[in-house]
């Protein structure tokens, strides 16, 4: 079992370092979640600064800019739809890297933890591929527009603490995706982009599973450290300056993703305290 977790972590780190999106995708598709090879924690850590590579590997474009200056256009123009699909591609590219990062970075967890997150990385790669093919059909490619780095910033902030990573990335940022996806899907569908809408259906279905995995391991980690999950979530959101919760929530999707009624109530109360 030790060997399995080490081989998954090493694989995740190697794929995280790849900068070419299609190489990253191929490597993930080929990754065998049951494969074993030997290695030690020291080898892995040595690997993390091999050749002084910068993590995550990413292509030279898109140019990363502040969220305030990324392009926006109406989805009723072909360019506007391409900008939206490009923004979603970028979210999925970051999501691949986030899942790979949580897989390699945190030691000493059960094998199921590493397998779950590698599987998430594989699904994020599928989302990226679906969106990127769709973008290419409209004559654009990943990198043609600017993008912002908000998702990866949160990965960096929480790299020293597993519970913080789980509390902030899957349970806040990815869960936000559950809330906004139905409206985006509707926007694309009404603009005549049925293919885009169908891709968002697949993404929403899979993302419920990702948030569920995040909730499962968050509670597991809280229990291991004797922490109260509810209180800890508010504390971490405060300590790590999490983005303010925004509504309305997609309650059915959040329930399926494993948020319980008390958590949902607490989140709704936080929302109303902003008003
Ligand atoms: Fe995704
Ligand atoms: Fe996801």
């Amino acid at each position: 079992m030790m060997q399995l977790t080490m081989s998954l972590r090493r694989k995740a780190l190697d794929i995280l370092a790849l900068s070419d999106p299609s190489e990253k995708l191929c490597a993930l598709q080929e990754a065998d979640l049951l494969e074993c090879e030997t290695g030690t924690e020291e080898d892995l850590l040595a690997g993390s600064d091999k050749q002084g590579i910068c993590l995550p590997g990413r292509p030279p474009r898109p140019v990363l800019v502040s969220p305030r200056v990324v392009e926006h256009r109406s989805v009723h123009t072909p360019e506007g739809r391409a900008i939206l699909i490009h923004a979603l591609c970028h979210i999925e590219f970051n999501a691949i890297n986030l899942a790979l990062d949580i897989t390699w970075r945190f030691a000493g967890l059960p094998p199921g933890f590493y397998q779950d997150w590698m599987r998430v990385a594989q699904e994020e790669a599928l989302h990226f591929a679906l969106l990127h093919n769709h973008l290419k059909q409209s004559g654009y490619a990943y990198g043609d527009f600017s993008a912002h780095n908000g998702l990866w910033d949160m990965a960096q902030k929480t790299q020293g603490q597993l519970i913080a990573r789980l509390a902030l990335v899957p349970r806040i940022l990815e869960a936000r995706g559950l809330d906004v996806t139905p409206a985006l899907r509707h926007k694309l569908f009404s603009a005549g982009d049925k293919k885009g809408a169908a891709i968002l259906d697949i993404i929403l279905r899979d993302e419920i599973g990702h948030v569920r995995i995040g909730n499962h391991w968050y509670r597991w980690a809280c229990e291991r450290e004797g922490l109260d999950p509810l209180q800890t979530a508010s504390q971490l959101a405060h300590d790590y300056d999490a983005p303010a919760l925004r509504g309305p929530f997609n309650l059915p999707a959040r329930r399926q993703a494993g948020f319980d009624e008390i958590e949902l109530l607490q989140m709704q109360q936080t929302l109303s305290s902003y008003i």
Side-chain angles (χ1 to χ4, degrees):
M1 276 308 168
M2 268 306 280
Q3 285 179 354
L4 172 65
T5 66
M6 192 51 72
S7 77
L8 284 177
R9 290 176 66 207
R10 181 190 303 268
K11 185 150 283 177
L13 177 59
D14 288 344
I15 303 175
L16 180 63
L18 294 174
S19 55
D20 181 72
S22 43
E23 278 178 33
K24 207 181 274 257
L25 259 53
C26 282
L28 261 170
Q29 268 159 8
E30 283 163 13
D32 178 354
L33 304 191
L34 295 171
E35 185 188 320
C36 284
E37 62 182 58
T38 51
T40 64
E41 185 73 25
E42 285 70 36
D43 292 343
L44 185 75
L45 291 174
S48 71
D49 25 67
K50 64 181 166 198
Q51 304 112 30
I53 43 153
C54 255
L55 291 175
R58 54 177 209 86
R61 291 172 67 83
V63 173
L64 298 180
V65 296
S66 142
R68 278 170 288 121
V69 296
V70 289
E71 293 106 325
H72 288 287
R73 300 274 191 290
S74 158
V75 291
H76 294 283
T77 66
E79 194 196 22
R81 283 195 293 282
I83 288 173
L84 174 61
I85 301 294
H86 185 276
L88 297 174
C89 274
H90 183 65
I91 289 174
E92 298 296 348
F93 189 72
N94 270 295
I96 297 171
N97 287 334
L98 284 164
L100 291 169
D101 192 76
I102 200 172
T103 308
W104 87 264
R105 190 172 292 280
F106 300 99
L109 299 161
F113 176 92
Y114 303 104
Q115 285 168 316
D116 275 355
W117 291 108
M118 275 302 264
R119 209 171 296 121
V120 170
Q122 288 179 325
E123 288 182 2
E124 305 295 17
L126 173 71
H127 300 167
F128 177 85
L130 290 169
L131 289 163
H132 196 207
N133 285 338
H134 189 47
L135 183 67
K136 286 196 280 197
Q137 275 162 15
S138 56
Y140 296 91
Y142 182 53
D144 283 355
F145 302 102
S146 59
H148 71 82
N149 210 23
L151 279 173
W152 189 256
D153 289 345
M154 195 53 87
Q156 276 178 315
K157 270 206 243 179
T158 56
Q159 66 185 16
Q161 200 188 358
L162 173 69
I163 290 190
R165 172 67 63 86
L166 291 164
L168 275 90
V169 176
R171 284 172 38 98
I172 293 184
L173 300 180
E174 273 194 295
R176 174 84 188 129
L178 306 183
D179 302 332
V180 300
T181 303
L184 274 180
R185 181 206 185 276
H186 179 72
K187 236 179 172 179
L188 288 176
F189 193 83
S190 358
D193 183 1
K194 296 197 172 54
K195 176 85 187 291
I199 295 174
L200 288 191
D201 285 337
I202 297 171
I203 291 181
L204 179 59
R205 181 202 63 197
D206 292 348
E207 291 304 328
I208 289 174
H210 301 177
V211 178
R212 206 178 164 80
I213 287 171
N215 271 322
H216 168 77
W217 289 109
Y218 172 73
R219 295 205 182 100
W220 180 89
C222 283
E223 202 181 311
R224 186 177 69 159
E225 295 187 28
L227 295 168
D228 173 60
L230 271 182
Q231 218 185 327
T232 306
S234 324
Q235 187 64 46
L236 290 168
H238 173 266
D239 294 351
Y240 284 86
D241 197 19
L245 284 180
R246 287 165 63 192
F249 292 139
N250 181 346
L251 288 171
R254 281 181 177 259
R255 287 189 180 109
Q256 277 185 59
F259 286 106
D260 65 32
E261 295 307 315
I262 302 172
E263 279 171 314
L264 290 171
L265 195 67
Q266 178 176 292
M267 288 175 191
Q268 307 260 36
Q269 282 164 350
T270 315
L271 269 188
S272 49
S273 71
Y274 295 140
I275 300 165

